[in-house]
Coordinates of all heavy atoms in Angstrom, one line a residue:
M1 N 0.8 -1.1 0.0 CA 0.0 0.0 0.0 C 0.9 1.3 0.0 O 0.8 2.1 0.9 CB -1.0 0.0 1.2 CG -2.2 0.8 0.9 SD -3.5 0.2 1.9 CE -3.8 1.6 3.0
N2 N 1.7 1.4 -1.0 CA 2.6 2.5 -1.2 C 3.5 2.8 0.0 O 3.8 3.9 0.4 CB 1.7 3.8 -1.5 CG 2.5 4.8 -2.2 OD1 3.6 4.6 -2.7 ND2 2.0 6.0 -2.3
N3 N 3.9 1.7 0.7 CA 4.9 1.6 1.8 C 4.3 2.3 3.0 O 5.0 2.8 3.9 CB 6.2 2.3 1.4 CG 6.9 1.6 0.4 OD1 6.9 0.3 0.3 ND2 7.6 2.3 -0.5
W4 N 2.9 2.4 3.1 CA 2.3 2.9 4.4 C 1.6 1.7 5.1 O 1.1 0.8 4.5 CB 1.2 3.9 4.0 CG 1.8 5.2 3.6 CD1 2.2 5.7 2.4 CD2 1.9 6.4 4.5 NE1 2.6 6.9 2.5 CE2 2.5 7.4 3.7 CE3 1.6 6.6 5.8 CZ2 2.8 8.7 4.2 CZ3 1.9 7.9 6.4 CH2 2.5 8.8 5.6
F5 N 1.7 1.7 6.4 CA 1.1 0.7 7.2 C -0.2 1.3 7.8 O -0.2 2.6 8.1 CB 2.1 0.3 8.4 CG 3.3 -0.4 7.9 CD1 4.4 0.3 7.7 CD2 3.3 -1.8 7.8 CE1 5.6 -0.3 7.3 CE2 4.4 -2.4 7.4 CZ 5.6 -1.7 7.1
T6 N -1.2 0.5 8.0 CA -2.5 1.0 8.5 C -2.7 0.6 10.0 O -3.8 0.7 10.5 CB -3.6 0.4 7.6 OG1 -3.5 -1.0 7.6 CG2 -3.6 0.9 6.3
S7 N -1.6 0.1 10.6 CA -1.7 -0.3 12.0 C -0.3 -0.1 12.6 O 0.7 0.3 11.9 CB -2.2 -1.7 12.3 OG -1.3 -2.6 11.6
N8 N -0.2 -0.3 13.9 CA 1.2 -0.2 14.6 C 2.1 -1.1 13.9 O 1.8 -2.1 13.4 CB 1.0 -0.6 16.1 CG 0.1 0.4 16.8 OD1 -0.2 1.5 16.4 ND2 -0.4 -0.1 18.0
V9 N 3.4 -0.7 14.1 CA 4.5 -1.5 13.4 C 5.5 -2.0 14.5 O 5.9 -1.1 15.3 CB 5.3 -0.7 12.3 CG1 6.5 -1.4 11.8 CG2 4.3 -0.3 11.3
Q10 N 5.8 -3.3 14.5 CA 6.8 -3.8 15.5 C 8.0 -4.0 14.7 O 8.1 -4.8 13.7 CB 6.2 -5.1 16.0 CG 7.0 -5.6 17.2 CD 6.2 -6.6 18.0 OE1 5.4 -7.3 17.4 NE2 6.6 -6.8 19.3
V11 N 9.1 -3.4 15.1 CA 10.5 -3.5 14.5 C 11.3 -4.5 15.3 O 11.5 -4.3 16.5 CB 11.1 -2.1 14.3 CG1 12.5 -2.3 13.7 CG2 10.2 -1.2 13.6
V12 N 11.9 -5.4 14.6 CA 12.9 -6.3 15.4 C 14.2 -6.2 14.7 O 14.3 -6.2 13.4 CB 12.4 -7.8 15.2 CG1 13.4 -8.8 15.7 CG2 11.1 -8.0 15.8
L13 N 15.3 -5.9 15.5 CA 16.6 -5.8 15.0 C 17.5 -6.9 15.3 O 17.3 -7.5 16.5 CB 17.3 -4.5 15.5 CG 16.5 -3.2 15.3 CD1 17.2 -2.1 16.1 CD2 16.5 -2.9 13.8
T14 N 18.3 -7.4 14.4 CA 19.2 -8.5 14.7 C 20.6 -8.1 14.3 O 20.8 -7.3 13.3 CB 18.9 -9.8 14.0 OG1 18.8 -9.6 12.6 CG2 17.5 -10.3 14.6
A15 N 21.7 -8.5 14.9 CA 23.1 -8.2 14.5 C 23.9 -9.5 14.7 O 23.7 -10.3 15.6 CB 23.6 -7.1 15.5
T16 N 24.9 -9.6 13.8 CA 25.9 -10.6 13.7 C 27.2 -10.0 13.4 O 27.3 -9.1 12.7 CB 25.6 -11.8 12.9 OG1 25.5 -11.2 11.5 CG2 24.3 -12.4 13.1
D17 N 28.3 -10.5 14.0 CA 29.6 -10.1 13.8 C 30.1 -11.0 12.6 O 29.7 -12.1 12.4 CB 30.5 -10.2 15.0 CG 31.7 -9.3 14.9 OD1 31.9 -8.6 13.9 OD2 32.5 -9.3 15.9
N18 N 31.1 -10.5 11.9 CA 31.7 -11.3 10.8 C 32.4 -12.5 11.5 O 32.8 -12.5 12.6 CB 32.7 -10.5 10.0 CG 33.8 -9.8 10.8 OD1 33.5 -9.5 12.0 ND2 34.9 -9.5 10.2
P19 N 32.6 -13.6 10.6 CA 33.2 -14.8 11.2 C 34.6 -14.5 11.7 O 35.4 -13.7 11.2 CB 33.4 -15.7 10.0 CG 32.3 -15.3 9.1 CD 32.2 -13.8 9.3
G20 N 35.0 -15.0 12.9 CA 36.2 -14.8 13.6 C 36.3 -13.4 14.3 O 37.3 -13.0 14.9
G21 N 35.1 -12.7 14.3 CA 35.1 -11.3 15.0 C 35.0 -11.5 16.4 O 34.9 -12.6 17.0
S22 N 34.9 -10.4 17.2 CA 34.9 -10.4 18.6 C 33.5 -10.6 19.1 O 33.3 -10.8 20.4 CB 35.4 -9.1 19.2 OG 34.6 -8.0 18.7
G23 N 32.4 -10.6 18.3 CA 31.1 -10.7 18.8 C 30.4 -9.4 19.0 O 31.0 -8.4 19.2
V24 N 29.0 -9.4 18.9 CA 28.3 -8.2 19.0 C 28.2 -7.8 20.5 O 27.9 -8.6 21.3 CB 26.8 -8.4 18.4 CG1 26.0 -7.1 18.7 CG2 26.9 -8.7 16.9
F25 N 28.6 -6.6 20.8 CA 28.5 -6.1 22.1 C 27.1 -5.5 22.4 O 26.5 -5.8 23.5 CB 29.6 -5.0 22.4 CG 29.4 -4.3 23.7 CD1 29.5 -5.0 24.9 CD2 29.2 -2.9 23.7 CE1 29.4 -4.4 26.1 CE2 29.1 -2.3 25.0 CZ 29.2 -3.0 26.2
K26 N 26.6 -4.7 21.6 CA 25.2 -4.1 21.7 C 24.7 -3.5 20.4 O 25.5 -3.2 19.5 CB 25.2 -3.1 22.8 CG 26.0 -1.8 22.5 CD 25.8 -0.8 23.7 CE 26.6 0.4 23.4 NZ 26.4 1.4 24.5
T27 N 23.4 -3.4 20.3 CA 22.8 -2.7 19.2 C 22.0 -1.5 19.9 O 21.4 -1.6 21.0 CB 21.8 -3.6 18.5 OG1 22.5 -4.6 17.9 CG2 21.0 -2.9 17.4
E28 N 22.1 -0.3 19.2 CA 21.4 0.8 19.7 C 20.4 1.4 18.7 O 20.7 1.2 17.5 CB 22.5 1.9 20.1 CG 23.5 1.6 21.1 CD 24.5 2.7 21.3 OE1 25.0 3.2 20.3 OE2 24.7 3.0 22.4
Y29 N 19.4 2.1 19.1 CA 18.6 2.8 18.2 C 18.2 4.2 18.6 O 18.3 4.5 19.8 CB 17.3 1.9 17.9 CG 16.4 1.9 19.0 CD1 15.3 2.7 19.2 CD2 16.5 0.8 20.0 CE1 14.4 2.6 20.3 CE2 15.6 0.8 21.1 CZ 14.6 1.7 21.2 OH 13.8 1.6 22.3
S30 N 17.8 5.0 17.7 CA 17.4 6.4 18.0 C 16.1 6.7 17.2 O 16.0 6.3 16.1 CB 18.4 7.3 17.6 OG 18.1 8.7 17.8
L31 N 15.2 7.4 17.9 CA 13.9 7.9 17.2 C 13.9 9.4 17.1 O 12.9 9.9 16.8 CB 12.7 7.3 18.0 CG 12.6 5.8 18.0 CD1 11.5 5.4 19.0 CD2 12.2 5.3 16.6
D32 N 15.0 10.0 17.5 CA 15.0 11.5 17.5 C 16.2 12.0 16.7 O 16.8 13.1 17.1 CB 15.0 12.0 18.9 CG 16.3 11.7 19.7 OD1 17.2 11.0 19.1 OD2 16.4 12.1 20.9
G33 N 16.5 11.4 15.7 CA 17.5 11.9 14.7 C 19.0 11.6 15.2 O 19.9 12.3 14.7
G34 N 19.1 10.8 16.2 CA 20.5 10.5 16.7 C 20.9 11.3 17.9 O 22.0 11.2 18.3
N35 N 20.0 12.1 18.5 CA 20.3 12.9 19.6 C 20.5 12.0 20.8 O 21.3 12.2 21.7 CB 19.3 14.0 19.9 CG 19.3 15.0 18.8 OD1 20.4 15.5 18.4 ND2 18.1 15.5 18.4
T36 N 19.6 11.1 21.0 CA 19.7 10.1 22.1 C 19.7 8.6 21.5 O 18.9 8.4 20.6 CB 18.5 10.2 23.1 OG1 17.3 10.5 22.4 CG2 18.8 11.3 24.1
W37 N 20.4 7.8 22.2 CA 20.5 6.4 21.7 C 20.0 5.5 22.9 O 20.4 5.7 24.0 CB 21.9 6.0 21.3 CG 22.3 6.7 20.1 CD1 22.9 7.9 19.9 CD2 22.1 6.2 18.7 NE1 23.0 8.3 18.6 CE2 22.6 7.2 17.8 CE3 21.5 5.1 18.2 CZ2 22.5 7.1 16.4 CZ3 21.5 4.9 16.8 CH2 22.0 5.9 16.0
T38 N 19.3 4.4 22.5 CA 18.7 3.5 23.5 C 19.3 2.1 23.2 O 19.3 1.8 22.0 CB 17.2 3.5 23.4 OG1 16.6 4.8 23.7 CG2 16.6 2.5 24.4
T39 N 19.7 1.4 24.2 CA 20.2 0.0 23.9 C 19.1 -0.9 23.7 O 18.1 -0.9 24.3 CB 20.9 -0.5 25.2 OG1 22.1 0.4 25.4 CG2 21.5 -1.9 25.0
Y40 N 19.2 -1.5 22.5 CA 18.1 -2.4 22.0 C 18.0 -3.7 22.9 O 19.0 -4.3 23.1 CB 18.3 -2.8 20.6 CG 17.3 -3.7 20.0 CD1 16.1 -3.3 19.7 CD2 17.6 -5.1 19.8 CE1 15.1 -4.2 19.2 CE2 16.7 -6.0 19.3 CZ 15.5 -5.5 18.9 OH 14.5 -6.3 18.4
T41 N 16.9 -3.9 23.5 CA 16.7 -5.1 24.3 C 15.5 -6.0 23.8 O 15.3 -7.1 24.3 CB 16.4 -4.7 25.8 OG1 15.2 -3.9 25.8 CG2 17.6 -3.9 26.4
G42 N 14.8 -5.5 22.9 CA 13.6 -6.3 22.3 C 12.9 -5.4 21.3 O 13.3 -4.3 21.0
S43 N 11.9 -5.9 20.7 CA 11.2 -5.3 19.6 C 10.8 -3.9 20.0 O 10.5 -3.5 21.1 CB 10.0 -6.1 19.1 OG 9.1 -6.2 20.2
I44 N 10.8 -3.1 19.0 CA 10.4 -1.6 19.1 C 9.0 -1.4 18.5 O 8.8 -1.8 17.3 CB 11.4 -0.7 18.4 CG1 12.8 -1.0 18.9 CG2 11.0 0.8 18.6 CD1 13.9 -0.5 18.0
L45 N 8.0 -0.9 19.3 CA 6.7 -0.7 18.8 C 6.5 0.7 18.4 O 6.7 1.6 19.2 CB 5.6 -1.1 19.9 CG 4.2 -1.0 19.5 CD1 3.9 -2.0 18.3 CD2 3.3 -1.3 20.6
I46 N 6.2 0.9 17.1 CA 5.9 2.2 16.6 C 4.4 2.4 16.4 O 3.8 1.6 15.7 CB 6.6 2.5 15.2 CG1 8.1 2.0 15.2 CG2 6.4 3.8 14.7 CD1 8.9 2.9 16.1
T47 N 3.9 3.4 17.1 CA 2.4 3.6 17.1 C 2.0 4.9 16.6 O 0.8 5.1 16.2 CB 1.9 3.5 18.6 OG1 2.5 4.5 19.4 CG2 2.2 2.1 19.2
Q48 N 2.9 5.9 16.5 CA 2.6 7.2 16.1 C 2.2 7.3 14.6 O 3.0 6.8 13.8 CB 3.7 8.1 16.4 CG 3.4 9.6 16.1 CD 4.6 10.5 16.5 OE1 5.4 10.1 17.4 NE2 4.6 11.7 16.0
E49 N 1.1 7.9 14.2 CA 0.8 8.1 12.8 C 1.8 9.2 12.2 O 2.3 10.0 12.9 CB -0.6 8.6 12.7 CG -1.6 7.5 12.9 CD -3.1 7.9 12.4 OE1 -3.3 7.9 11.2 OE2 -3.8 8.3 13.3
G50 N 1.9 8.9 10.9 CA 2.9 9.9 10.2 C 4.1 9.1 9.9 O 4.2 7.8 9.9
T51 N 5.3 9.8 9.8 CA 6.5 9.2 9.4 C 7.4 9.2 10.6 O 7.7 10.2 11.3 CB 7.2 10.0 8.3 OG1 6.3 10.0 7.1 CG2 8.5 9.4 7.8
T52 N 8.0 8.0 11.0 CA 9.0 7.9 12.0 C 10.3 7.4 11.5 O 10.3 6.5 10.6 CB 8.5 6.8 13.0 OG1 7.2 7.2 13.7 CG2 9.5 6.5 14.1
R53 N 11.3 8.1 11.8 CA 12.6 7.8 11.3 C 13.4 7.0 12.4 O 13.7 7.6 13.4 CB 13.4 9.0 10.8 CG 12.8 9.6 9.5 CD 13.4 10.9 9.2 NE 12.9 11.4 7.9 CZ 11.7 12.0 7.7 NH1 10.9 12.1 8.7 NH2 11.3 12.4 6.5
L54 N 13.7 5.8 12.1 CA 14.5 4.9 13.0 C 15.9 4.9 12.6 O 16.2 4.5 11.4 CB 13.8 3.5 13.1 CG 14.6 2.5 14.0 CD1 14.5 2.9 15.5 CD2 13.9 1.2 13.7
R55 N 16.8 5.2 13.4 CA 18.3 5.0 13.2 C 18.8 3.9 14.1 O 18.4 3.8 15.2 CB 19.1 6.3 13.4 CG 18.6 7.4 12.5 CD 19.3 8.7 13.0 NE 18.7 9.8 12.1 CZ 19.4 10.6 11.3 NH1 20.8 10.4 11.2 NH2 18.9 11.5 10.6
Y56 N 19.7 3.1 13.6 CA 20.2 2.0 14.4 C 21.6 1.6 14.0 O 22.0 1.9 12.9 CB 19.3 0.8 14.4 CG 19.0 0.2 13.0 CD1 19.8 -1.0 12.6 CD2 18.1 0.6 12.1 CE1 19.6 -1.5 11.3 CE2 17.9 0.1 10.9 CZ 18.6 -1.0 10.5 OH 18.4 -1.5 9.3
R57 N 22.4 1.0 15.0 CA 23.7 0.6 14.8 C 24.1 -0.4 15.8 O 23.5 -0.5 16.8 CB 24.6 1.9 14.9 CG 24.6 2.4 16.3 CD 25.4 3.7 16.4 NE 25.3 4.2 17.8 CZ 25.6 5.5 18.1 NH1 26.0 6.4 17.1 NH2 25.6 5.9 19.4
S58 N 25.1 -1.2 15.5 CA 25.6 -2.1 16.4 C 27.1 -1.9 16.6 O 27.8 -1.3 15.8 CB 25.4 -3.6 15.9 OG 24.1 -3.9 15.9
I59 N 27.6 -2.4 17.8 CA 29.0 -2.2 18.2 C 29.5 -3.5 18.6 O 28.8 -4.2 19.4 CB 29.2 -1.2 19.3 CG1 28.5 0.2 18.9 CG2 30.6 -1.0 19.7 CD1 28.3 1.1 20.1
D60 N 30.7 -4.0 18.1 CA 31.2 -5.2 18.5 C 32.1 -5.1 19.7 O 32.3 -4.0 20.2 CB 31.9 -6.0 17.3 CG 33.2 -5.3 16.9 OD1 33.8 -4.4 17.7 OD2 33.8 -5.7 15.9
R61 N 32.5 -6.2 20.3 CA 33.3 -6.2 21.5 C 34.7 -5.6 21.4 O 35.2 -5.2 22.4 CB 33.4 -7.6 22.1 CG 32.0 -8.2 22.5 CD 32.1 -9.5 23.3 NE 30.8 -10.0 23.5 CZ 29.9 -9.6 24.4 NH1 30.3 -8.6 25.2 NH2 28.8 -10.1 24.5
A62 N 35.1 -5.4 20.2 CA 36.4 -4.8 19.9 C 36.3 -3.3 19.8 O 37.2 -2.5 19.6 CB 37.1 -5.3 18.7
G63 N 35.0 -2.7 19.9 CA 34.7 -1.3 19.8 C 34.5 -0.8 18.4 O 34.4 0.4 18.2
N64 N 34.3 -1.7 17.4 CA 34.1 -1.2 16.1 C 32.6 -0.9 15.9 O 31.7 -1.7 16.3 CB 34.4 -2.4 15.1 CG 35.9 -2.7 15.1 OD1 36.7 -1.8 15.0 ND2 36.2 -4.0 15.3
N65 N 32.3 0.2 15.4 CA 30.9 0.7 15.2 C 30.5 0.4 13.7 O 31.2 0.7 12.8 CB 30.8 2.2 15.4 CG 31.0 2.6 16.8 OD1 30.3 2.1 17.6 ND2 31.8 3.6 17.1
E66 N 29.3 -0.2 13.6 CA 28.7 -0.4 12.4 C 28.3 0.9 11.7 O 28.0 1.8 12.5 CB 27.4 -1.3 12.6 CG 26.6 -1.5 11.3 CD 25.3 -2.3 11.6 OE1 24.8 -2.2 12.8 OE2 24.8 -2.9 10.6
S67 N 28.3 1.0 10.4 CA 27.8 2.2 9.8 C 26.3 2.4 10.2 O 25.6 1.5 10.4 CB 27.8 2.1 8.3 OG 29.2 1.9 7.8
L68 N 25.9 3.6 10.3 CA 24.6 4.0 10.7 C 23.6 3.5 9.7 O 23.8 3.7 8.5 CB 24.5 5.6 10.9 CG 23.2 6.1 11.4 CD1 22.9 5.6 12.8 CD2 23.2 7.6 11.4
N69 N 22.5 2.9 10.1 CA 21.4 2.4 9.3 C 20.2 3.2 9.6 O 19.9 3.7 10.7 CB 21.1 1.0 9.6 CG 22.3 0.0 9.3 OD1 22.6 -0.1 8.1 ND2 23.0 -0.4 10.3
K70 N 19.3 3.4 8.5 CA 18.1 4.2 8.7 C 17.0 3.4 8.1 O 17.1 2.8 7.1 CB 18.3 5.6 8.0 CG 19.4 6.4 8.5 CD 19.6 7.7 7.6 CE 20.7 8.5 8.0 NZ 21.0 9.6 7.1
L71 N 15.8 3.6 8.8 CA 14.6 3.0 8.3 C 13.5 4.0 8.5 O 13.3 4.6 9.6 CB 14.3 1.7 9.2 CG 13.0 1.0 8.9 CD1 13.1 0.4 7.5 CD2 12.9 -0.2 9.9
M72 N 12.7 4.2 7.5 CA 11.5 5.1 7.5 C 10.3 4.3 7.6 O 10.0 3.4 6.8 CB 11.5 6.0 6.3 CG 10.5 7.1 6.6 SD 10.3 8.3 5.2 CE 11.9 8.3 4.4
I73 N 9.5 4.6 8.7 CA 8.2 3.8 8.9 C 7.1 4.8 8.8 O 7.1 5.8 9.5 CB 8.3 3.2 10.3 CG1 9.4 2.3 10.4 CG2 6.9 2.5 10.6 CD1 9.9 2.0 11.8
K74 N 6.2 4.5 7.9 CA 5.0 5.4 7.7 C 3.7 4.7 8.1 O 3.4 3.6 7.6 CB 5.0 5.9 6.2 CG 6.2 6.6 5.7 CD 6.2 7.0 4.3 CE 6.3 5.9 3.4 NZ 6.4 6.4 1.9
I75 N 3.0 5.4 9.0 CA 1.8 4.8 9.5 C 0.6 5.8 9.3 O 0.7 7.0 9.5 CB 1.8 4.5 11.0 CG1 3.0 3.4 11.3 CG2 0.5 4.0 11.6 CD1 3.2 3.2 12.7
D76 N -0.5 5.2 8.7 CA -1.8 6.0 8.5 C -2.9 5.1 9.0 O -3.3 4.2 8.3 CB -1.9 6.4 7.1 CG -3.2 7.3 6.9 OD1 -3.9 7.5 7.9 OD2 -3.4 7.7 5.8
K77 N -3.4 5.3 10.2 CA -4.4 4.4 10.7 C -5.8 5.0 10.5 O -6.8 4.4 10.9 CB -4.3 4.2 12.3 CG -3.0 3.6 12.7 CD -3.0 3.3 14.1 CE -1.7 3.9 14.8 NZ -1.7 3.6 16.2
T78 N -5.9 6.2 10.0 CA -7.2 6.9 9.7 C -7.8 6.4 8.4 O -7.3 6.6 7.3 CB -7.0 8.4 9.7 OG1 -6.3 8.8 10.9 CG2 -8.4 9.0 9.6
P79 N -9.0 5.8 8.5 CA -9.6 5.2 7.2 C -10.1 6.4 6.4 O -10.4 7.5 6.9 CB -10.8 4.4 7.7 CG -11.0 4.7 9.1 CD -9.8 5.4 9.6
P80 N -10.2 6.2 5.1 CA -10.7 7.3 4.2 C -12.1 7.6 4.5 O -12.8 6.7 5.0 CB -10.5 6.8 2.8 CG -10.3 5.3 2.9 CD -9.8 5.0 4.3
E81 N -12.5 8.8 4.2 CA -13.9 9.2 4.4 C -14.5 9.7 3.1 O -13.9 10.4 2.3 CB -14.0 10.3 5.5 CG -15.3 10.7 5.8 CD -15.3 11.8 6.9 OE1 -14.8 11.6 8.0 OE2 -15.9 12.9 6.6
V82 N -15.7 9.2 2.8 CA -16.4 9.6 1.6 C -17.6 10.4 1.9 O -18.4 9.9 2.8 CB -16.7 8.3 0.7 CG1 -17.6 8.7 -0.5 CG2 -15.5 7.6 0.3
K83 N -17.8 11.5 1.2 CA -19.0 12.3 1.4 C -19.8 12.3 0.1 O -19.1 12.6 -1.0 CB -18.7 13.6 1.9 CG -18.2 13.7 3.3 CD -17.9 15.0 3.8 CE -17.3 15.0 5.3 NZ -17.1 16.3 5.7
I84 N -21.0 12.1 0.0 CA -21.9 12.1 -1.1 C -22.9 13.3 -1.0 O -23.6 13.3 0.0 CB -22.5 10.7 -1.5 CG1 -21.5 9.7 -1.6 CG2 -23.5 10.8 -2.6 CD1 -22.1 8.3 -1.7
Y85 N -23.0 14.1 -2.0 CA -24.0 15.1 -1.9 C -24.9 15.0 -3.1 O -24.5 14.7 -4.2 CB -23.3 16.5 -2.0 CG -22.3 16.8 -0.9 CD1 -21.0 16.5 -1.0 CD2 -22.8 17.3 0.3 CE1 -20.1 16.7 0.1 CE2 -21.9 17.6 1.4 CZ -20.6 17.3 1.2 OH -19.7 17.5 2.2
F86 N -26.2 15.3 -2.9 CA -27.2 15.2 -3.9 C -27.7 16.6 -4.2 O -28.0 17.4 -3.2 CB -28.4 14.3 -3.5 CG -28.0 12.9 -3.3 CD1 -27.7 12.4 -2.1 CD2 -28.0 12.1 -4.5 CE1 -27.3 11.0 -2.0 CE2 -27.6 10.8 -4.3 CZ -27.3 10.2 -3.1
N87 N -27.9 16.9 -5.4 CA -28.5 18.2 -5.8 C -29.9 18.0 -6.1 O -30.3 17.4 -7.2 CB -27.7 18.8 -7.0 CG -28.1 20.2 -7.4 OD1 -29.2 20.6 -6.9 ND2 -27.4 20.8 -8.3
K88 N -30.9 18.4 -5.3 CA -32.3 18.1 -5.4 C -32.9 19.0 -6.5 O -33.9 18.7 -7.0 CB -33.0 18.4 -4.1 CG -32.6 17.5 -3.0 CD -33.4 17.8 -1.8 CE -33.0 17.0 -0.5 NZ -33.7 17.4 0.7
G89 N -32.2 20.0 -6.8 CA -32.8 21.0 -7.8 C -32.5 20.8 -9.3 O -32.9 21.6 -10.1
N90 N -31.8 19.8 -9.6 CA -31.5 19.7 -11.0 C -32.4 18.8 -11.9 O -32.3 18.6 -13.1 CB -30.0 19.1 -11.2 CG -29.8 17.6 -11.0 OD1 -30.8 16.9 -10.7 ND2 -28.7 17.1 -11.1
G91 N -33.5 18.3 -11.3 CA -34.5 17.6 -12.0 C -34.2 16.1 -12.4 O -34.9 15.5 -13.1
A92 N -33.1 15.6 -12.0 CA -32.7 14.3 -12.4 C -33.3 13.3 -11.4 O -33.6 13.5 -10.3 CB -31.2 14.1 -12.4

């Protein structure tokens, strides 16, 4: 539906380190343009209508930061409304 969701969206993030790497230390996400970061502990529920920009990244145990990833989530829960008007005076 043109990349719009009509209900809440649950986002699940997963991270893996490359073979032989030090392992994933943590994954973080931001919903405010990267001003604050929250350690990911489980799925993220997006409920707000409109466009939500989710940024996320992972860090391995050696301190290497993954490149910043971005996801745009668009929600419109309001059903369309139709109005029908009749013109009584046209004789039809």
Side-chain angles (χ1 to χ4, degrees):
M1 205 153 112
N2 205 11
N3 297 324
W4 283 85
F5 294 92
T6 57
S7 61
N8 297 339
V9 174
Q10 193 167 23
V11 179
V12 176
L13 303 173
T14 58
T16 57
D17 201 1
N18 55 333
S22 61
V24 176
F25 173 62
K26 67 178 175 177
T27 298
E28 301 175 312
Y29 69 93
S30 175
L31 295 170
D32 64 3
N35 293 318
T36 41
W37 291 90
T38 302
T39 299
Y40 177 76
T41 58
S43 61
I44 305 161
L45 184 62
I46 308 296
T47 61
Q48 183 175 341
E49 286 194 78
T51 301
T52 299
R53 289 172 176 80
L54 173 70
R55 296 172 187 241
Y56 59 97
R57 64 186 179 199
S58 293
I59 302 165
D60 70 10
R61 296 189 184 284
N64 298 309
N65 289 311
E66 175 184 25
S67 297
L68 185 64
N69 296 287
K70 299 175 186 176
L71 178 63
M72 190 177 336
I73 301 154
K74 299 184 285 186
I75 298 176
D76 181 2
K77 299 185 229 179
T78 307
E81 185 177 301
V82 175
K83 293 183 180 181
I84 300 172
Y85 298 95
F86 295 96
N87 185 346
K88 296 180 185 177
N90 77 359

